[in-house]
Amino acid sequence: EAQVTQNPRYLITVTGKKLTVTCSQNMNHEYMSWYRQDPGLGLRQIYYSMNVEVTDKGDVPEGYKVSRKEKRNFPLILESPSPNQTSLYFCASSPQALNTEAFFGQGTRLTVV
Amino acid sequence: DQQVKQNSPSLSVQEGRISILNCDYTNSMFDYFLWYKKYPAEGPTFLISISSIKDKNEDGRFTVFLNKSAKHLSLHIVPSQPGDSAVYFCAASDSGGSNYKLTFGKGTLLTVNP
């Protein structure tokens, strides 16, 4: 089954404790991205990757890092989480960057206390 | 600066009737538009898309209309079913831009009443 898998689905952590949210897709897609969804703000792009070893900032990259060492994986790293990073996070992949649909993971609800 | 706007936070319709969800955009460089549906505790799922070279695209009960001069698109669902109850996001992209991303609206919660 074609899918985008995120882990964990739910996470509660404390301020400053580094964490990684994993994302994996099995569709051999080149393009992957991370979004966060906040009440009243819709989905906003954090980072994107056009292929292995190619990543770039989206609209709200502050406080996040990503890596793309393999085509299928695109982890999101929070080196020092803060309460304003409490949000619902979605990973997405698509076969190409433009004019195509994106497939989303089920989401990771992160709470930073 | 919100480039994609969904001005109706919610919409309620009766089963069997038409649902019309609206979306406005300000960036004239947007040339590809998508609608996503999102159920609680799930990721957004793709519904239908339209390129700026078209003004209408239809897929079963779902039709998207694009009015480029007004920078407006709408999603029509006919007939509406209770299973259509979800949050609907409008999204847009600029194929000529250097930042390859989808810009989303804030979403409209559609409730279809039996």
mmCIF file of all heavy atoms in Angstrom, chain A residues 11-17 19 36 38-39 44 62-64 78 80-89 110-113:
data_model
loop_
_atom_site.group_PDB
_atom_site.id
_atom_site.type_symbol
_atom_site.label_atom_id
_atom_site.label_comp_id
_atom_site.label_asym_id
_atom_site.label_seq_id
_atom_site.Cartn_x
_atom_site.Cartn_y
_atom_site.Cartn_z
ATOM 1 N N LEU A 11 3.362 12.925 20.843
ATOM 2 C CA LEU A 11 4.581 13.091 21.641
ATOM 3 C C LEU A 11 4.423 14.280 22.563
ATOM 4 O O LEU A 11 4.042 15.368 22.114
ATOM 5 C CB LEU A 11 5.783 13.292 20.724
ATOM 6 C CG LEU A 11 7.147 13.502 21.389
ATOM 7 C CD1 LEU A 11 7.513 12.301 22.241
ATOM 8 C CD2 LEU A 11 8.227 13.760 20.347
ATOM 9 N N ILE A 12 4.716 14.042 23.835
ATOM 10 C CA ILE A 12 4.788 15.126 24.813
ATOM 11 C C ILE A 12 6.225 15.178 25.297
ATOM 12 O O ILE A 12 6.767 14.157 25.717
ATOM 13 C CB ILE A 12 3.824 14.897 25.993
ATOM 14 C CG1 ILE A 12 2.376 14.799 25.487
ATOM 15 C CG2 ILE A 12 3.949 16.025 27.017
ATOM 16 C CD1 ILE A 12 1.377 14.442 26.571
ATOM 17 N N THR A 13 6.839 16.342 25.235
ATOM 18 C CA THR A 13 8.223 16.469 25.647
ATOM 19 C C THR A 13 8.413 17.760 26.431
ATOM 20 O O THR A 13 7.491 18.574 26.547
ATOM 21 C CB THR A 13 9.154 16.444 24.426
ATOM 22 O OG1 THR A 13 10.511 16.336 24.847
ATOM 23 C CG2 THR A 13 8.997 17.710 23.601
ATOM 24 N N VAL A 14 9.608 17.921 26.958
ATOM 25 C CA VAL A 14 9.911 19.131 27.741
ATOM 26 C C VAL A 14 10.779 20.067 26.934
ATOM 27 O O VAL A 14 11.504 19.654 26.016
ATOM 28 C CB VAL A 14 10.598 18.770 29.066
ATOM 29 C CG1 VAL A 14 9.661 17.951 29.948
ATOM 30 C CG2 VAL A 14 11.892 18.013 28.829
ATOM 31 N N THR A 15 10.715 21.312 27.274
ATOM 32 C CA THR A 15 11.511 22.335 26.598
ATOM 33 C C THR A 15 12.988 21.978 26.613
ATOM 34 O O THR A 15 13.543 21.605 27.650
ATOM 35 C CB THR A 15 11.293 23.693 27.290
ATOM 36 O OG1 THR A 15 9.904 24.032 27.200
ATOM 37 C CG2 THR A 15 12.123 24.773 26.642
ATOM 38 N N GLY A 16 13.602 22.070 25.428
ATOM 39 C CA GLY A 16 15.038 21.865 25.324
ATOM 40 C C GLY A 16 15.498 20.450 25.070
ATOM 41 O O GLY A 16 16.684 20.224 24.790
ATOM 42 N N LYS A 17 14.612 19.490 25.123
ATOM 43 C CA LYS A 17 15.014 18.097 24.916
ATOM 44 C C LYS A 17 14.888 17.734 23.445
ATOM 45 O O LYS A 17 13.775 17.633 22.905
ATOM 46 C CB LYS A 17 14.162 17.158 25.758
ATOM 47 C CG LYS A 17 14.610 15.717 25.698
ATOM 48 C CD LYS A 17 13.784 14.845 26.620
ATOM 49 C CE LYS A 17 14.260 13.401 26.557
ATOM 50 N NZ LYS A 17 13.459 12.513 27.435
ATOM 51 N N LEU A 19 14.455 16.212 19.873
ATOM 52 C CA LEU A 19 13.613 15.129 19.399
ATOM 53 C C LEU A 19 13.632 15.059 17.883
ATOM 54 O O LEU A 19 13.957 16.041 17.195
ATOM 55 C CB LEU A 19 12.176 15.300 19.911
ATOM 56 C CG LEU A 19 11.385 16.491 19.392
ATOM 57 C CD1 LEU A 19 10.593 16.117 18.145
ATOM 58 C CD2 LEU A 19 10.423 17.008 20.456
ATOM 59 N N ARG A 36 3.328 22.320 9.318
ATOM 60 C CA ARG A 36 2.701 22.344 10.621
ATOM 61 C C ARG A 36 1.321 22.978 10.511
ATOM 62 O O ARG A 36 1.118 23.886 9.685
ATOM 63 C CB ARG A 36 3.547 23.086 11.668
ATOM 64 C CG ARG A 36 3.858 24.524 11.392
ATOM 65 C CD ARG A 36 4.690 25.156 12.527
ATOM 66 N NE ARG A 36 3.895 25.379 13.733
ATOM 67 C CZ ARG A 36 4.385 25.826 14.886
ATOM 68 N NH1 ARG A 36 5.691 26.076 15.003
ATOM 69 N NH2 ARG A 36 3.605 26.016 15.937
ATOM 70 N N ASP A 38 -1.684 24.792 12.632
ATOM 71 C CA ASP A 38 -2.052 25.463 13.872
ATOM 72 C C ASP A 38 -3.442 26.069 13.729
ATOM 73 O O ASP A 38 -3.821 26.482 12.623
ATOM 74 C CB ASP A 38 -1.029 26.557 14.203
ATOM 75 C CG ASP A 38 0.369 26.000 14.363
ATOM 76 O OD1 ASP A 38 0.588 25.292 15.368
ATOM 77 O OD2 ASP A 38 1.226 26.251 13.498
ATOM 78 N N PRO A 39 -4.190 26.126 14.825
ATOM 79 C CA PRO A 39 -5.560 26.664 14.752
ATOM 80 C C PRO A 39 -5.584 28.062 14.141
ATOM 81 O O PRO A 39 -4.816 28.944 14.529
ATOM 82 C CB PRO A 39 -5.993 26.690 16.222
ATOM 83 C CG PRO A 39 -5.169 25.645 16.875
ATOM 84 C CD PRO A 39 -3.839 25.674 16.171
ATOM 85 N N ARG A 44 1.293 25.309 7.132
ATOM 86 C CA ARG A 44 2.416 26.136 6.703
ATOM 87 C C ARG A 44 3.647 25.259 6.515
ATOM 88 O O ARG A 44 3.950 24.408 7.344
ATOM 89 C CB ARG A 44 2.700 27.234 7.735
ATOM 90 C CG ARG A 44 1.575 28.243 7.903
ATOM 91 C CD ARG A 44 1.898 29.252 8.982
ATOM 92 N NE ARG A 44 1.952 28.624 10.296
ATOM 93 C CZ ARG A 44 2.471 29.213 11.375
ATOM 94 N NH1 ARG A 44 2.979 30.423 11.291
ATOM 95 N NH2 ARG A 44 2.458 28.583 12.543
ATOM 96 N N GLU A 62 12.353 28.282 11.375
ATOM 97 C CA GLU A 62 13.112 28.567 12.589
ATOM 98 C C GLU A 62 12.860 27.507 13.653
ATOM 99 O O GLU A 62 11.723 27.189 13.987
ATOM 100 C CB GLU A 62 12.744 29.953 13.137
ATOM 101 C CG GLU A 62 13.139 31.121 12.254
ATOM 102 C CD GLU A 62 12.216 31.317 11.067
ATOM 103 O OE1 GLU A 62 11.065 30.808 11.115
ATOM 104 O OE2 GLU A 62 12.627 31.941 10.079
ATOM 105 N N GLY A 63 13.960 26.977 14.199
ATOM 106 C CA GLY A 63 13.866 25.984 15.265
ATOM 107 C C GLY A 63 13.808 24.550 14.772
ATOM 108 O O GLY A 63 13.717 23.626 15.580
ATOM 109 N N TYR A 64 13.878 24.367 13.449
ATOM 110 C CA TYR A 64 13.796 23.023 12.869
ATOM 111 C C TYR A 64 15.015 22.735 12.000
ATOM 112 O O TYR A 64 15.644 23.635 11.462
ATOM 113 C CB TYR A 64 12.550 22.888 11.996
ATOM 114 C CG TYR A 64 11.254 23.200 12.689
ATOM 115 C CD1 TYR A 64 10.689 24.476 12.594
ATOM 116 C CD2 TYR A 64 10.583 22.232 13.428
ATOM 117 C CE1 TYR A 64 9.495 24.775 13.236
ATOM 118 C CE2 TYR A 64 9.389 22.523 14.059
ATOM 119 C CZ TYR A 64 8.846 23.797 13.955
ATOM 120 O OH TYR A 64 7.657 24.090 14.588
ATOM 121 N N LEU A 78 14.033 18.662 15.964
ATOM 122 C CA LEU A 78 13.914 19.843 16.810
ATOM 123 C C LEU A 78 15.041 19.764 17.827
ATOM 124 O O LEU A 78 15.002 18.957 18.748
ATOM 125 C CB LEU A 78 12.551 19.889 17.508
ATOM 126 C CG LEU A 78 11.356 20.284 16.637
ATOM 127 C CD1 LEU A 78 10.940 19.160 15.694
ATOM 128 C CD2 LEU A 78 10.173 20.686 17.530
ATOM 129 N N SER A 80 16.177 21.964 20.046
ATOM 130 C CA SER A 80 15.840 22.480 21.380
ATOM 131 C C SER A 80 14.394 22.955 21.351
ATOM 132 O O SER A 80 14.131 24.156 21.212
ATOM 133 C CB SER A 80 16.791 23.624 21.763
ATOM 134 O OG SER A 80 16.496 24.100 23.068
ATOM 135 N N PRO A 81 13.459 22.034 21.491
ATOM 136 C CA PRO A 81 12.039 22.385 21.339
ATOM 137 C C PRO A 81 11.591 23.444 22.342
ATOM 138 O O PRO A 81 12.056 23.475 23.494
ATOM 139 C CB PRO A 81 11.327 21.054 21.593
ATOM 140 C CG PRO A 81 12.347 20.004 21.357
ATOM 141 C CD PRO A 81 13.655 20.605 21.752
ATOM 142 N N SER A 82 10.682 24.285 21.891
ATOM 143 C CA SER A 82 10.085 25.295 22.758
ATOM 144 C C SER A 82 8.564 25.176 22.683
ATOM 145 O O SER A 82 8.035 24.583 21.731
ATOM 146 C CB SER A 82 10.532 26.692 22.339
ATOM 147 O OG SER A 82 10.100 26.958 21.020
ATOM 148 N N PRO A 83 7.856 25.715 23.677
ATOM 149 C CA PRO A 83 6.393 25.588 23.691
ATOM 150 C C PRO A 83 5.712 26.097 22.418
ATOM 151 O O PRO A 83 4.652 25.591 22.046
ATOM 152 C CB PRO A 83 5.987 26.405 24.920
ATOM 153 C CG PRO A 83 7.152 26.261 25.845
ATOM 154 C CD PRO A 83 8.358 26.300 24.946
ATOM 155 N N ASN A 84 6.302 27.090 21.733
ATOM 156 C CA ASN A 84 5.656 27.590 20.508
ATOM 157 C C ASN A 84 5.793 26.623 19.343
ATOM 158 O O ASN A 84 5.271 26.876 18.239
ATOM 159 C CB ASN A 84 6.174 28.982 20.124
ATOM 160 C CG ASN A 84 7.650 28.992 19.746
ATOM 161 O OD1 ASN A 84 8.266 27.943 19.558
ATOM 162 N ND2 ASN A 84 8.212 30.170 19.636
ATOM 163 N N GLN A 85 6.458 25.500 19.562
ATOM 164 C CA GLN A 85 6.508 24.457 18.548
ATOM 165 C C GLN A 85 5.481 23.358 18.818
ATOM 166 O O GLN A 85 5.429 22.371 18.075
ATOM 167 C CB GLN A 85 7.914 23.860 18.463
ATOM 168 C CG GLN A 85 8.915 24.861 17.914
ATOM 169 C CD GLN A 85 10.327 24.321 17.862
ATOM 170 O OE1 GLN A 85 10.940 23.999 18.886
ATOM 171 N NE2 GLN A 85 10.863 24.202 16.660
ATOM 172 N N THR A 86 4.663 23.572 19.817
ATOM 173 C CA THR A 86 3.511 22.694 20.030
ATOM 174 C C THR A 86 2.579 22.852 18.837
ATOM 175 O O THR A 86 2.122 23.961 18.539
ATOM 176 C CB THR A 86 2.781 23.069 21.329
ATOM 177 O OG1 THR A 86 3.634 22.766 22.441
ATOM 178 C CG2 THR A 86 1.473 22.305 21.459
ATOM 179 N N SER A 87 2.324 21.740 18.143
ATOM 180 C CA SER A 87 1.579 21.845 16.892
ATOM 181 C C SER A 87 1.268 20.445 16.373
ATOM 182 O O SER A 87 1.681 19.441 16.942
ATOM 183 C CB SER A 87 2.405 22.622 15.854
ATOM 184 O OG SER A 87 1.663 22.865 14.681
ATOM 185 N N LEU A 88 0.545 20.411 15.276
ATOM 186 C CA LEU A 88 0.285 19.177 14.544
ATOM 187 C C LEU A 88 1.142 19.205 13.289
ATOM 188 O O LEU A 88 1.035 20.133 12.485
ATOM 189 C CB LEU A 88 -1.205 19.087 14.190
ATOM 190 C CG LEU A 88 -1.684 17.854 13.424
ATOM 191 C CD1 LEU A 88 -1.339 16.575 14.168
ATOM 192 C CD2 LEU A 88 -3.187 17.963 13.187
ATOM 193 N N TYR A 89 1.990 18.203 13.129
ATOM 194 C CA TYR A 89 2.961 18.183 12.042
ATOM 195 C C TYR A 89 2.587 17.124 11.007
ATOM 196 O O TYR A 89 2.213 16.008 11.351
ATOM 197 C CB TYR A 89 4.367 17.878 12.585
ATOM 198 C CG TYR A 89 4.909 18.995 13.431
ATOM 199 C CD1 TYR A 89 4.636 19.074 14.795
ATOM 200 C CD2 TYR A 89 5.699 19.991 12.858
ATOM 201 C CE1 TYR A 89 5.122 20.110 15.567
ATOM 202 C CE2 TYR A 89 6.206 21.030 13.621
ATOM 203 C CZ TYR A 89 5.909 21.081 14.972
ATOM 204 O OH TYR A 89 6.397 22.120 15.722
ATOM 205 N N LEU A 110 2.513 17.117 18.530
ATOM 206 C CA LEU A 110 3.617 17.385 19.455
ATOM 207 C C LEU A 110 3.197 18.429 20.477
ATOM 208 O O LEU A 110 2.669 19.481 20.117
ATOM 209 C CB LEU A 110 4.841 17.885 18.690
ATOM 210 C CG LEU A 110 6.014 18.393 19.525
ATOM 211 C CD1 LEU A 110 6.628 17.244 20.324
ATOM 212 C CD2 LEU A 110 7.067 19.052 18.661
ATOM 213 N N THR A 111 3.455 18.116 21.728
ATOM 214 C CA THR A 111 3.237 19.074 22.806
ATOM 215 C C THR A 111 4.554 19.283 23.530
ATOM 216 O O THR A 111 5.183 18.310 23.973
ATOM 217 C CB THR A 111 2.185 18.566 23.813
ATOM 218 O OG1 THR A 111 0.964 18.322 23.113
ATOM 219 C CG2 THR A 111 1.948 19.592 24.920
ATOM 220 N N VAL A 112 4.976 20.539 23.626
ATOM 221 C CA VAL A 112 6.211 20.888 24.327
ATOM 222 C C VAL A 112 5.830 21.666 25.592
ATOM 223 O O VAL A 112 5.198 22.719 25.509
ATOM 224 C CB VAL A 112 7.152 21.731 23.451
ATOM 225 C CG1 VAL A 112 8.463 21.998 24.194
ATOM 226 C CG2 VAL A 112 7.418 21.037 22.121
ATOM 227 N N VAL A 113 6.195 21.123 26.741
ATOM 228 C CA VAL A 113 5.808 21.775 28.005
ATOM 229 C C VAL A 113 7.029 22.393 28.690
ATOM 230 O O VAL A 113 8.168 22.089 28.360
ATOM 231 C CB VAL A 113 5.125 20.775 28.949
ATOM 232 C CG1 VAL A 113 3.845 20.266 28.321
ATOM 233 C CG2 VAL A 113 6.063 19.626 29.285
#
